[in-house]
Amino acid sequence: MAAVSESQVVATELEKVEKEIPMLFERDPGFAGFIKKKNVSVVSSREMRAPLEISPGGDFGYYNPDGGPLGRGSGPDWDKAVISPVHMKLGIEYTKQAQWSTDSDRKAVQNSVRYLTATAITEFIRQLNSQIQGNGSGQVATIGTVTVGAGFDTYLCNTDGYGVRLVRAKQNVQVYNAAMTVLRGIGQITQWDVEGQSVQVTPNIAGAIATDVLVTTGISSPTSLPALFGVQYHDSSASTGSWLGFNRANTPQIRASRVNASGSALSLPMPRLARNKIGNRIGEDNRYKPVAWMHPAQEQAYEEVGQAVTVLNQMPSDKKLDLYYGAQQMAGMRTKTDFNWNMKRIDFIPEGVWGWAELHPIGFYTTDGRKIFELRSADGGISAAELFYIVASRQAWVKNPAAISYIDNLQIPPGYQVV
């Protein structure tokens, strides 16, 4: 007789499931979390007005005290920035079977619904940190190349310095032409490759080409800047367009100061120049303390500058060598890194200059006390699935753009951008 084999007893074997579930992505709050809660202004649906002293006044000159005329005088100019909140949401959906199958530690190592509700606000803030990088259009990626697959497109996004950091898996996106005047289609990100700087979008988007852009859903006219005003909007020296109701061409006071690296690698004079541009605008004894925000790629570039001029005096008692000392200060300014930051720029932003105009704080969308809603099937009955939303109505604004400077068009160190 044959011995009992393993295949005959497999039905009796216990299955081990590891209780610790690693997270293979990040939910860093980044710069969005840097904007302090004390800088939140509660607003209504009407525009918020932020008064600004645009220019000094007074007619300075010389005069003859021996009966000469003193002339007339003048005074400062004041104007206002206007801010209106935008409305953002994050939808989370699950089936009843997913809920029932994990609602006890006897059934699963993790309660799925409890986990979804616990992490939803963190995920919303992570999405907020993507939007805070933008220019107000809702653009989140630029297509470098398009590869058409069977039922999906693959977009390599390796040209704008963001890669695919500003989008997330399972997110629906719109594909627009470069001018954001033609909507080519809408699809879902079904594969998200941060390292490879590519996404798969399902279904195929007819006519999608290189230079097209991915835009957040819920926006029908990106060029009207209906989205969150982010770093590219506020930290800008542009003399065209507008800023919170001001014409940039007519009001140079509301432009940030720029240092154009012109494609070269970061060098020591650049941050000093950027800081001095702030002082040139608002004075040497201003109360602002800029923080240098950058992608870790530029932190490495700065570190390499330091390594090139480092002299090592190795003593016999020394046991450790660490040449990767990090960028803690840059031209006397504290440094902060954010993987969502553009790899081609460094922004010098004082604490307290950025703020939120908030109509509705981040939280669950509720109706009559309900936070979770059932789905309806096509026949009008209830579907065995539920969903909830995290929502917020707010807009980012800057109290003093003259206190901000930035370096852009920096060379990206090797290895950070797919070529």
Side-chain angles (χ1 to χ4, degrees):
M1 297 180 62
V4 176
S5 68
E6 195 276 337
S7 63
Q8 292 171 277
V9 299
V10 66
T12 68
E13 295 177 9
L14 295 176
E15 183 181 26
K16 170 65 176 178
V17 178
E18 177 60 42
K19 292 186 177 182
E20 183 179 346
I21 304 177
M23 191 171 67
L24 305 185
F25 54 92
E26 47 69 41
R27 287 197 176 104
D28 296 336
F31 181 64
F34 173 77
I35 304 175
K36 297 182 180 297
K37 291 182 178 180
K38 68 180 182 181
N39 294 336
V40 175
S41 300
V42 178
V43 302
S44 69
S45 293
R46 300 187 64 178
E47 289 180 334
M48 169 183 164
R49 294 188 297 169
L52 300 171
E53 188 173 359
I54 299 296
S55 60
D59 182 22
F60 179 85
Y62 297 91
Y63 77 103
N64 181 3
D66 192 15
L70 274 72
R72 300 287 298 273
S74 63
D77 290 323
W78 288 271
D79 209 331
K80 65 182 184 302
V82 292
I83 307 104
S84 296
V86 294
H87 312 289
M88 298 165 285
K89 59 87 180 178
L90 175 74
I92 304 292
E93 183 177 328
Y94 55 89
T95 68
K96 294 304 290 185
Q97 185 168 353
Q99 178 182 8
W100 295 338
S101 297
T102 61
D103 61 3
S104 166
D105 57 8
R106 297 173 62 186
K107 301 178 184 178
V109 298
Q110 178 175 270
N111 186 309
S112 61
V113 174
R114 188 175 299 165
Y115 178 81
L116 290 173
T117 55
T119 58
I121 288 182
T122 307
E123 179 64 23
F124 185 94
I125 294 173
R126 170 58 177 82
Q127 287 280 7
L128 204 62
N129 194 44
S130 292
Q131 296 295 312
I132 204 71
Q133 290 295 326
N135 60 5
S137 66
Q139 178 182 337
V140 285
T142 303
I143 299 175
T145 60
V146 177
T147 303
V148 178
F152 62 87
D153 290 339
T154 300
Y155 301 144
L156 176 64
C157 304
N158 63 339
T159 60
D160 63 0
Y162 289 112
V164 295
R165 285 284 310 182
L166 305 187
V167 297
R168 304 284 274 180
K170 305 294 182 67
Q171 181 180 354
N172 290 317
V173 291
Q174 304 178 99
V175 180
Y176 272 87
N177 67 334
M180 290 188 281
T181 55
V182 177
L183 173 61
R184 303 200 192 278
I186 301 175
Q188 186 182 56
I189 295 175
T190 49
Q191 186 183 92
W192 179 50
D193 185 355
V194 176
E195 177 67 17
Q197 297 177 353
S198 69
V199 292
Q200 285 184 3
V201 174
T202 304
N204 299 102
I205 305 297
I209 60 172
T211 73
D212 282 356
V213 297
L214 304 186
V215 175
T216 312
T217 56
I219 291 172
S220 59
S221 178
T223 55
S224 66
L225 305 185
L228 200 69
F229 295 154
V231 171
Q232 294 185 62
Y233 178 87
H234 291 299
D235 299 5
S236 172
S237 66
S239 58
T240 59
S242 62
W243 178 82
L244 300 183
F246 286 93
N247 187 319
R248 287 185 176 272
N250 301 335
T251 320
Q253 293 92 333
I254 54 87
R255 306 174 199 161
S257 299
R258 179 192 187 196
V259 176
N260 187 353
S262 301
S264 62
L266 177 68
S267 62
L268 289 178
M270 294 178 185
R272 175 62 67 187
L273 176 58
R275 180 165 191 172
N276 287 343
K277 281 179 175 287
I278 295 175
N280 185 49
R281 297 281 298 280
I282 60 174
E284 188 173 355
D285 296 327
N286 66 77
R287 60 184 174 86
Y288 296 111
K289 296 181 179 180
V291 177
W293 280 89
M294 68 194 80
H295 187 280
Q298 291 305 327
E299 181 184 44
Q300 175 181 322
Y302 183 50
E303 189 176 62
E304 289 173 354
V305 173
Q307 289 168 342
V309 297
T310 297
V311 177
L312 293 178
N313 295 313
Q314 187 78 1
M315 303 298 291
S317 60
D318 290 343
K319 298 180 179 180
K320 296 181 179 180
L321 175 65
D322 186 0
L323 296 179
Y324 299 92
Y325 44 80
Q328 298 177 353
Q329 275 200 336
M330 180 177 286
M333 296 174 284
R334 186 163 58 95
T335 62
K336 293 281 288 182
T337 57
D338 186 341
F339 279 98
N340 275 8
W341 217 263
N342 192 294
M343 291 185 283
K344 299 179 181 180
R345 63 185 284 158
I346 301 173
D347 291 76
F348 303 91
I349 302 171
E351 292 189 56
V353 166
W354 277 66
W356 296 110
E358 188 171 80
L359 171 66
H360 185 77
I362 300 174
F364 286 89
Y365 177 86
T366 59
T367 297
D368 296 330
R370 297 178 61 207
K371 296 179 180 178
I372 297 178
F373 305 89
E374 72 275 1
L375 272 67
R376 294 284 176 175
S377 58
D379 61 6
I382 295 176
S383 293
E386 295 175 340
L387 74 161
F388 64 89
Y389 302 93
I390 304 298
V391 297
S393 297
R394 52 167 46 177
Q395 183 55 280
W397 69 290
V398 166
K399 299 178 180 180
N400 190 348
I404 294 172
S405 66
Y406 63 99
I407 308 170
D408 67 346
N409 294 325
L410 284 162
Q411 182 184 102
I412 301 175
Y416 286 93
Q417 184 162 279
V418 175
V419 294

